[in-house]
C-alpha cells in the first residue's frame, strides 16, 4: 500500500501522541513525551522499525471506514469482511502515572478472525528489546525503557520474527481489549488501567471540553476538530504546544527538507492565544502564556525561537542513518539546529502575545512588564541586525522585511501599553522614536514602488507570504494601497493552483537548500484573512472552503500540500495549519466576523 501522510489519524494523552494508519497500524509513538525516542518508527522506515498492527487476519489494505467519536480524540476504525464486521477503537487515556495505549476490538456482525502484530523498537526503531512473560503480560525491556502488553480477556500470543503475534476470533457483541503501558525500566509496573472505564472517561472528558467552544458558525465540526488537535499537541504538565508530534515528514517527497517539529515555537504564541481565547479556552491560553514566560526568562540576548516542551534549550540536531525516511526522504533528523538562529520577529511575537493576554484580562503577574522592558532594551540596538527570518533559512542572514515589521510590532505594543496603563514605567519617548524609525526604514528599503509591493528582504525582488500579515499587525491599515498591491503580488507570484508557497524556494538561494516544497497551508489561511481585511469577503470565503476541503477524512492537516499530486506534505498534524484554520473561521464567521 502506498502510504500517504493523510492516511494517519492522531490519538494522544496531552503528553505524547501516536499516529494510526488506515490499515490499523500504529506507526509512530514516542514515549513518554512528544520529544522522546520513538518505539514505533515505521512512519519513517518499515515494519522492522517498529509498529503495532491490529486488523482482520486477511486484510491487506486500508479499513472500510474510520472516524473520531464526535468531539473526542477517540478513533473508531471498521472493517467489513466476508465473515463479518469488526471495529477497533484506539485511544490514549489521560495518564495518572504512566502512558497507556488502549486498543479495543469489538465484533459488530458475523465472526471475524483478528491478527495483532507488535514490533517494539526503542530509540527510533534501532533497538530490539528483550521480551519475557510476567503475570499474564508480555514485557519488553531495553535500557531505560520498559513496555508491558496485556489483553482482557487474555489472548494467547507467541514470538516470531522479533515480534509478538496473536490471533483470535470475535463474534458480534464480543470485545477484546489490548493495553500497552510504558514505564522506566528501573521502576515497578504501574497500576493497571481498566480499558473500558478509560474509554468512557475519555469520551466524556473530551466532549465536555469541546462543549466549551464558543464558535457556532459554519463548519463548526471542522473548527472543533482543529481545536481538539491543538489540545492534543499540548504538553499538559507545562502548557507548551508542540508544532507537530512528528519529525522529518518531508516537505518534498524524496527531498532533504525534513525537520523535527516536536518542540514549541515562540512564533506560534500570538496566533495560538488569539485562537484559544476567541474560541473560549482561557485556561489553555493562560497555560500557554505562562509556558512562554518561563521559557523566555533570562537575558533577552539569549532568547531562542523554540524550546523543548518543558522549556529545554538544548535541541541539538543529528541524523538517524538507519531510517530511510518517509517515501525515501532522507535524512531523518532529531533535534533542530534552527534553535541557534537569530530571528528578530519572535521578539515582536512575544510582545504581541503578552499584549493580547493583558487586554484579554488574563491573570497578570508583576514580572511580566519587567520582562517586556528588558526585551525592548535589547531590541533598541539589535533590531538593525540581519537575521534568518521566520522561515528559518539556512542560506545566511538578511534584512527580512517581516522581521522588521515584527520589531515595529514590539515597539508599538510597548508604546500602547504605556499609553493605556500609565502606572507602568518605561521609555515612552525612546520607544516611540524607535517605532517611527523602523516604520520609515521598512517603507523605504522594503518596498518596491515600481511593483507596488513589499519584498522579502531589503533590495530583493523576491516575495514572501509573511508580508500578508502586515495589515493584521497594524503596521499599515488594510485600505493602504501598498497593502492591496502586496496581496495581489504575493497571490500572483507565489500562487500555485489557488494556494500559496511561502516563498520562491525553487528560484532563490535564500534558504540555502536544494529542491522545492509544497504550498504552505498557513500562508493560504493568511491570504484568506488579508482578503477579508481588505473587503474581498467572497474571495476569502472561497479560499477558506478550498482549504478545509484539504483536510483528510478525519479532519487533519499537515504543514504543506502538493496540489498537483493531491497529497499532504510535511509534519503532521501541524499546529500552525490548524491555528490558521481556527483564526480564519473566527474572522469570517465568529462574533466579530459574521456578516
Amino acid at each position: 500500500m502506498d502510504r500517504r501522510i493523510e492516511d494517519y489519524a492522531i490519538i494522544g494523552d496531552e503528553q505524547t501522541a501516536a499516529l494510526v494508519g488506515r490499515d490499523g497500524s500504529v506507526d509512530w509513538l514516542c514515549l513518554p513525551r512528544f520529544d522522546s525516542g520513538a518505539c514505533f518508527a515505521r512512519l519513517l522506515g518499515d515494519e522492522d522499525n517498529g509498529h503495532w498492527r491490529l486488523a482482520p487476519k486477511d486484510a491487506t489494505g486500508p479499513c472500510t471506514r474510520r472516524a473520531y467519536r464526535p468531539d473526542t480524540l477517540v478513533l473508531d476504525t471498521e472493517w467489513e469482511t466476508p465473515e463479518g464486521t469488526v471495529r477497533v477503537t484506539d485511544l490514549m487515556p489521560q495518564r495518572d502515572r504512566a502512558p497507556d495505549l488502549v486498543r479495543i476490538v469489538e465484533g459488530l456482525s458475523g465472526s471475524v478472525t483478528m491478527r495483532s502484530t507488535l514490533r517494539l523498537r526503542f530509540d527510533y526503531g534501532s533497538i530490539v528489546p528483550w521480551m519475557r512473560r510476567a503475570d499474564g503480560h508480555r514485557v519488553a525491556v531495553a535500557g531505560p525503557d520498559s513496555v508491558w502488553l496485556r489483553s482482557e480477556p487474555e489472548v494467547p500470543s507467541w514470538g516470531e520474527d522479533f515480534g509478538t503475534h496473536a490471533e483470535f476470533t470475535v463474534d458480534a457483541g464480543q470485545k477484546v481489549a489490548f493495553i500497552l503501558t510504558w514505564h522506566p525500566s528501573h521502576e515497578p509496573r504501574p497500576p493497571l488501567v481498566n480499558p473500558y472505564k478509560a474509554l468512557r472517561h475519555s469520551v466524556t472528558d473530551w466532549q465536555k471540553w469541546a462543549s466549551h467552544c464558543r464558535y457556532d458558525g459554519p463548519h463548526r465540526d471542522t473548527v472543533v476538530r482543529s481545536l481538539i488537535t491543538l489540545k492534543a499537541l499540548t504538553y499538559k504538565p507545562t502548557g507548551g504546544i508542540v508544532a507537530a508530534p512528528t519529525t522529518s515528514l518531508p516537505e518534498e517527497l524524496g527531498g532533504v527538507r525534513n525537520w523535527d517539529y516536536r518542540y514549541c515555537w515562540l512564533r506560534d504564541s500570538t496566533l495560538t492565544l488569539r485562537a484559544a481565547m476567541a474560541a473560549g479556552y482561557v485556561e489553555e491560553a493562560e497555560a500557554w502564556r505562562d509556558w512562554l514566560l518561563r521559557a523566555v526568562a533570562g537575558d533577552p540576548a539569549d532568547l531562542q525561537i523554540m524550546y523543548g516542551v518543558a522549556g529545554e534549550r538544548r535541541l541539538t540536531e543529528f541524523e538517524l542513518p538507519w531510517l530511510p525516511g518517509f517515501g525515501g526522504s532522507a535524512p531523518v533528523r532529531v533535534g533542530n539546529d534552527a534553535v541557534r538562529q537569530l530571528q528578530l520577529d519572535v521578539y515582536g511575537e512575544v510582545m504581541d502575545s503578552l499584549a493580547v493576554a493583558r487586554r484579554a484580562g488574563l491573570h497578570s503577574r508583576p514580572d511580566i512588564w519587567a520582562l517586556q522592558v528588558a526585551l525592548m532594551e535589547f531590541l533598541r540596538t539589535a533590531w538593525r541586525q540581519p537575521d534568518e527570518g521566520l522561515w528559518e533559512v539556512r542560506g545566511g542572514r538578511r534584512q527580512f522585511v517581516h522581521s522588521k515589521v515584527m520589531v515595529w510590532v514590539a515597539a508599538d505594543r510597548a508604546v500602547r501599553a504605556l499609553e493605556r496603563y500609565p502606572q507602568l514605567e518605561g521609555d515612552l519617548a525612546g520607544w516611540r522614536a524607535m517605532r517611527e524609525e523602523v516604520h520609515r526604514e521598512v517603507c523605504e528599503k522594503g518596498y518596491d514602488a515600481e511593483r507596488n509591493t513589499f519584498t522579502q528582504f531589503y533590495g530583493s525582488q523576491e516575495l514572501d507570504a509573511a508580508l500578508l500579515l502586515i495589515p493584521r499587525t497594524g503596521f499599515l491599515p488594510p485600505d493602504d494601497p501598498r497593502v492591496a498591491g502586496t496581496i495581489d503580488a504575493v497571490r500572483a507570484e507565489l500562487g500555485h493552483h489557488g494556494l500559496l508557497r511561502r516563498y520562491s524556494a525553487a528560484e532563490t538561494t535564500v534558504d540555502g537548500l536544494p529542491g522545492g516544497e509544497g504550498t504552505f497551508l498557513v500562508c493560504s489561511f493568511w491570504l484568506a484573512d488579508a482578503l477579508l481585511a481588505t473587503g474581498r469577503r467572497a474571495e476569502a470565503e472561497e479560499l477558506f472552503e478550498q482549504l478545509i476541503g484539504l483536510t483528510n477524512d478525519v479532519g487533519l492537516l499537515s504543514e504543506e500540500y502538493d496540489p498537483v499530486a493531491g497529497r499532504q506534505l510535511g509534519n503532521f498534524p501541524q499546529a500552525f495549519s490548524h491555528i490558521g484554520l481556527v483564526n480564519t473561521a473566527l474572522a469570517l464567521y465568529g462574533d466579530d466576523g459574521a456578516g
Side-chain angles (χ1 to χ4, degrees), residues 288-363:
W288 173 239
R289 191 276 314 266
D290 290 346
W291 176 90
L292 180 70
L293 290 171
R294 292 191 301 271
V296 304
D299 186 347
D302 295 331
L303 188 72
Q304 297 185 176
I305 65 165
M306 73 180 89
Y307 296 85
V309 293
E312 297 88 351
R313 287 175 168 262
R314 298 189 184 277
L315 310 177
T316 305
E317 183 178 306
F318 58 95
E319 298 177 3
L320 306 180
W322 60 86
L323 288 174
F326 186 92
S329 306
V332 170
R333 296 180 174 96
V334 169
N336 199 313
D337 275 347
V339 72
R340 299 182 299 197
Q341 291 186 351
L342 174 65
Q343 297 178 20
L344 290 171
D345 69 292
V346 299
Y347 291 86
E349 296 290 1
V350 171
M351 291 292 291
D352 196 23
S353 295
L354 297 179
V356 168
R358 185 179 288 113
R359 289 197 305 271
L362 293 189
H363 177 69

Side-chain angles (χ1 to χ4, degrees), residues 383 399-408 435-448 453-455 457-459 467 470 475-476 482:
W383 76 265
Q399 298 284 5
F400 286 104
V401 170
H402 174 72
S403 295
K404 303 306 184 190
V405 168
M406 293 309 297
V407 168
W408 177 90
R435 180 176 66 174
E436 293 171 5
E437 184 181 1
V438 175
H439 197 280
R440 182 171 57 252
E441 180 178 294
V442 170
C443 292
E444 289 176 356
K445 298 181 178 181
Y447 175 70
D448 184 338
T453 181
F454 286 92
T455 60
F457 53 90
Y458 292 174
L467 300 170
I470 285 176
F475 183 85
L476 287 176
R482 291 168 292 183

Side-chain angles (χ1 to χ4, degrees), residues 211-274:
S211 70
H212 294 152
C213 177
R214 288 206 300 249
Y215 178 77
D216 196 28
H219 304 292
R220 186 180 188 277
D221 288 348
T222 303
V223 172
V224 171
R225 176 54 51 199
S226 289
L227 290 166
I228 288 173
T229 303
L230 292 172
K231 179 73 167 171
L233 299 180
T234 301
Y235 185 66
K236 188 173 183 179
T238 66
I241 301 174
V242 297
T246 57
T247 179
S248 300
L249 288 178
E251 297 173 12
E252 178 186 40
L253 282 178
V256 300
R257 298 168 183 264
N258 317 315
W259 314 110
D260 194 345
Y261 276 17
R262 297 171 300 154
Y263 307 114
C264 307
W265 267 255
L266 300 189
R267 183 171 297 108
D268 299 3
S269 58
T270 306
L271 297 177
T272 303
L273 279 169
R274 290 184 188 278

Side-chain angles (χ1 to χ4, degrees), residues 19-41:
L19 294 190
V20 187
R22 294 177 191 267
D23 60 351
S25 181
V26 180
D27 288 348
W28 184 255
L29 176 59
C30 300
L31 292 172
R33 302 193 334 177
F34 289 108
D35 55 353
S36 300
C39 64
F40 299 138

